[in-house]
């Protein structure tokens, strides 16, 4: 079979790219060895957001009733699976309706125009690798014991553990910590770094941690996990903290220490595709060193976010078509859907200092905002970083609707607007988003 483009992987970077290419007149074959939707839909962003939704309902009921309601985790798990199944079917329908040829199988590159799947050869003018990533497992003694899980396995459990130890305080670790705490699980987070959410501005990450500690989540920072051992029905997680041995015990252990790109067994060596530190090397058009082969999403390691993969896919199709675009891949908002929520775009204050930049910081607390007070969300903070001429360098938020606020800042940054333009933009009242206008 021949097409204009072959895409390996049907995650967000794959199926969105396929649909965009077809809309612009290209024929597309997409090959997926697992389920349509990739990690994000099947065992990542979407199922965790289903859990976040139910966790918010539990927190609301607790606030109103005065006591935490009993949680039927079986119903929560079943609803999560229903959400995933529906959206997976939607992705398959999208591909079918747009005329994309969907092949189930393991694709292996034969050369820069050919892949082999299910014993059949498929050819195309261009190939896009969108194989995503998987949980990275550190070399810890006992990490393969029953009860030690990655996010994929934890999302598949049907019974709520009484206690959970999470190794890693990044986005994945904190979202699970927040959710399982809301469901009534005793949660301990063990992190090697000095602060949680390492990519985030420290004012925001510290605020998130402090808020989660108030909810009863225990954090052990600057601790290196050395081993995991079975102890009756529980697991002992042994760590070293400032030269001293420490230990915590839990029914289950989640390993959330990052993700590794899926570059094995897809024939990149045969095709001569260059890699570095476990990722495929690409230029700003997502093109590899082999002219007709591209790589988008987690597999290239540039930005391991689903929406980054989508925009990278659009960029690479535009390059194939010879079209120019104004996508600014360096302006990439992100969010962590903990309670409280956090989000960010642009440079942190530490990055500005390291670069020797002149900048101004304005911190705007939520406590004076009517909607935040009404929603019992007045502990939040917006941190806006600008140049002296008003150019927005970064926007960092901890609190309710953080992602929505940061999205507005990202739009302004992408359009090259200065912060002063916020004065000319009417914001709906009462909303927490009004605080962004107050930040100037």
């Amino acid at each position: 079979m021949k097409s204009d483009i072959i895409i390996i992987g049907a995650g967000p970077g794959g199926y969105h790219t396929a649909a965009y290419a077809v809309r612009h007149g290209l024929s597309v074959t997409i090959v997926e060895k697992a389920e349509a939707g990739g990690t994000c839909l099947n065992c990542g962003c979407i199922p965790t957001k289903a859990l976040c939704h139910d966790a918010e309902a539990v927190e609301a009921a607790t606030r109103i009733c005065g006591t935490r309601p009993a949680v039927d985790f079986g119903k929560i798990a079943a609803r999560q699976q229903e959400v995933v199944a529906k959206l997976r079917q939607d992705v398959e329908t999208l591909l079918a309706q747009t005329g994309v040829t969907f092949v189930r199988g393991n694709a292996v590159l034969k050369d820069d125009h050919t892949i082999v799947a299910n014993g059949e050869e498929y050819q195309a003018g261009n190939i896009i690798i969108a194989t995503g990533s998987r949980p990275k497992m550190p070399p810890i003694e006992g990490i393969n014991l029953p009860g030690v899980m990655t996010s994929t396995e934890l999302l598949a459990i049907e019974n709520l553990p009484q206690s959970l130890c999470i190794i890693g305080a990044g986005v994945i670790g904190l979202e699970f910590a927040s959710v399982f705490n809301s469901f009534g699980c005793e949660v301990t987070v063990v992190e090697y770094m000095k602060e949680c959410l390492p990519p985030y501005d420290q004012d925001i990450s510290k605020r998130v941690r402090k808020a989660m500690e108030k909810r009863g989540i225990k954090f052990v920072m600057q601790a290196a996990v050395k081993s995991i051992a079975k102890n009756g029905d529980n697991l002992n997680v042994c760590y070293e903290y400032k030269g001293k041995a420490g230990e915590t015990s839990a029914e289950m252990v989640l390993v959330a220490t990052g993700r590794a790109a899926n570059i094995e067994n897809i024939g990149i060596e045969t095709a001569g595709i260059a890699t570095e530190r476990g990722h495929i090397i690409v230029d700003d058009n997502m093109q590899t060193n082999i002219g007709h082969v591209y790589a988008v999403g987690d597999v290239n390691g540039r930005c391991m976010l689903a929406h980054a993969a989508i925009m990278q896919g659009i960029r690479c199709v535009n390059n194939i078509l010879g079209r120019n675009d104004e996508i600014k891949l360096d302006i990439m908002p992100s969010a962590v859907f903990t309670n409280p929520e956090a989000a960010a775009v642009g440079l942190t204050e530490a990055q500005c200092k390291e670069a020797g930049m002149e900048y101004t910081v304005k911190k705007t607390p939520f406590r004076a905002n009517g909607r935040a007070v009404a929603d019992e969300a007045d502990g939040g903070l917006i941190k806006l970083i600008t140049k002296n001429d008003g150019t927005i360098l970064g926007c960092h938020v901890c609190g309710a609707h953080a992602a929505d606020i940061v999205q507005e800042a990202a739009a302004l940054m992408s359009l090259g607007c200065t912060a002063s333009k916020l004065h000319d933009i009417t914001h709906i009242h009462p909303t927490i988003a009004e605080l962004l206008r107050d930040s100037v």
Side-chain angles (χ1 to χ4, degrees):
M1 289 186 63
K2 291 186 178 181
S3 348
D4 293 318
I5 298 176
I6 292 172
I7 301 175
I8 306 174
Y15 73 82
H16 279 279
T17 302
Y20 180 78
V22 169
R23 286 200 301 272
H24 287 81
L26 300 176
S27 59
V28 179
T29 297
I30 192 166
V31 187
E32 172 58 59
K33 68 177 182 180
E35 297 286 355
T39 295
C40 176
L41 194 159
N42 294 285
C43 52
C45 320
I46 298 302
T48 54
K49 299 304 101 54
L51 294 181
C52 288
H53 171 79
D54 288 343
E56 288 176 6
V58 171
E59 293 292 344
T62 302
R63 184 179 67 252
I64 294 168
C65 300
T67 57
R68 189 174 299 277
V71 170
D72 188 337
F73 191 74
K75 288 185 178 179
I76 291 172
R79 193 187 81 85
Q80 170 204 298
Q81 292 168 8
E82 289 171 5
V83 169
V84 170
K86 177 192 180 302
L87 292 175
R88 184 191 300 140
Q89 183 59 55
D90 288 349
V91 171
E92 293 181 6
T93 300
L94 169 70
L95 295 174
Q97 288 179 343
T98 53
V100 174
T101 300
F102 185 28
V103 178
R104 294 187 181 274
N106 184 51
V108 178
L109 289 155
K110 183 177 179 181
D111 54 46
D112 59 343
H113 291 288
T114 311
I115 64 111
V116 178
N118 304 322
E120 298 288 334
E121 286 193 1
Y122 297 81
Q123 293 185 333
N126 296 277
I127 296 175
I128 301 173
I129 301 170
T131 47
S133 64
R134 64 187 182 280
K136 186 187 294 183
M137 301 298 281
I140 296 173
E141 180 184 345
I143 203 165
N144 294 318
L145 286 170
V148 180
M149 306 179 181
T150 68
S151 54
T152 302
E153 289 86 45
L154 190 60
L155 285 167
I157 65 171
E158 297 179 354
N159 297 302
L160 184 71
Q162 292 186 349
S163 54
L164 175 68
C165 176
I166 299 174
I167 303 174
V171 172
I172 295 171
L174 288 200
E175 285 191 353
F176 277 107
S178 182
V179 163
F180 276 81
N181 169 263
S182 293
F183 293 155
C185 182
E186 182 182 321
V187 179
T188 301
V189 181
V190 182
E191 168 59 47
Y192 179 77
M193 302 294 286
K194 186 177 181 179
E195 190 52 270
C196 65
L197 297 175
Y200 277 63
D201 189 277
Q202 287 202 2
D203 281 336
I204 301 303
S205 55
K206 182 179 180 180
R207 206 175 189 91
V208 171
R209 176 174 57 81
K210 290 292 186 182
M212 293 178 73
E213 285 176 335
K214 286 182 180 178
R215 292 172 51 202
I217 298 169
K218 182 181 178 182
F219 284 85
V220 184
M221 309 304 294
Q222 295 179 277
V225 175
K226 297 298 182 181
S227 64
I228 304 170
K230 190 73 175 171
N231 181 16
D233 293 334
N234 283 358
L235 292 158
N236 287 352
V237 177
C238 303
Y239 55 84
E240 184 178 300
Y241 170 72
K242 293 185 177 180
K244 296 182 180 180
E247 185 177 275
T248 187
S249 182
E251 185 179 337
M252 291 182 182
V253 175
L254 168 64
V255 181
T257 52
R259 298 184 65 84
N262 292 323
I263 61 173
E264 299 85 1
N265 305 315
I266 58 173
I268 59 173
E269 300 86 0
T270 302
I273 298 169
T275 63
E276 184 177 45
R277 296 181 180 179
H279 295 96
I280 295 174
I281 301 171
V282 296
D283 63 14
D284 290 342
N285 290 317
M286 307 303 118
Q287 204 162 10
T288 70
N289 61 305
I290 306 300
H292 300 286
V293 181
Y294 297 76
V296 303
D298 289 6
V299 76
N300 68 34
R302 285 196 160 202
C303 183
M304 300 179 89
L305 296 168
H307 47 279
I310 292 168
M311 300 310 290
Q312 289 176 8
I314 293 172
R315 165 62 59 80
C316 99
V317 171
N318 286 341
N319 187 66
I320 290 168
L321 292 169
R323 293 166 56 97
N324 293 322
D325 62 52
E326 296 183 8
I327 298 171
K328 293 177 173 59
L329 294 172
D330 58 329
I331 300 176
M332 192 59 65
S334 65
V336 51
F337 296 95
T338 45
N339 180 10
E341 189 173 302
V345 65
L347 300 176
T348 65
E349 185 173 1
Q351 289 170 329
C352 292
K353 284 181 179 178
E354 187 178 343
M357 303 175 70
E358 292 186 3
Y359 63 92
T360 301
V361 173
K362 176 71 180 295
K363 297 180 183 179
T364 307
F366 280 29
R367 60 176 174 266
N369 177 271
R371 181 60 184 271
V373 175
D375 288 355
E376 296 183 288
D378 54 351
L381 175 75
I382 293 178
K383 182 175 181 178
L384 192 67
I385 306 174
T386 61
K387 287 184 179 179
N388 293 338
D389 64 1
T391 300
I392 302 172
L393 295 172
C395 180
H396 310 274
V397 184
C398 171
H401 302 287
D404 302 320
I405 295 168
V406 162
Q407 185 61 64
E408 182 180 358
L412 293 172
M413 292 170 70
S414 295
L415 294 172
C417 297
T418 60
S420 63
K421 290 292 183 182
L422 281 163
H423 282 300
D424 302 326
I425 300 173
T426 304
H427 287 71
I428 299 169
H429 177 79
T431 61
I432 294 176
E434 291 176 276
L435 284 163
L436 188 57
R437 187 177 186 276
D438 297 336
S439 298
V440 180

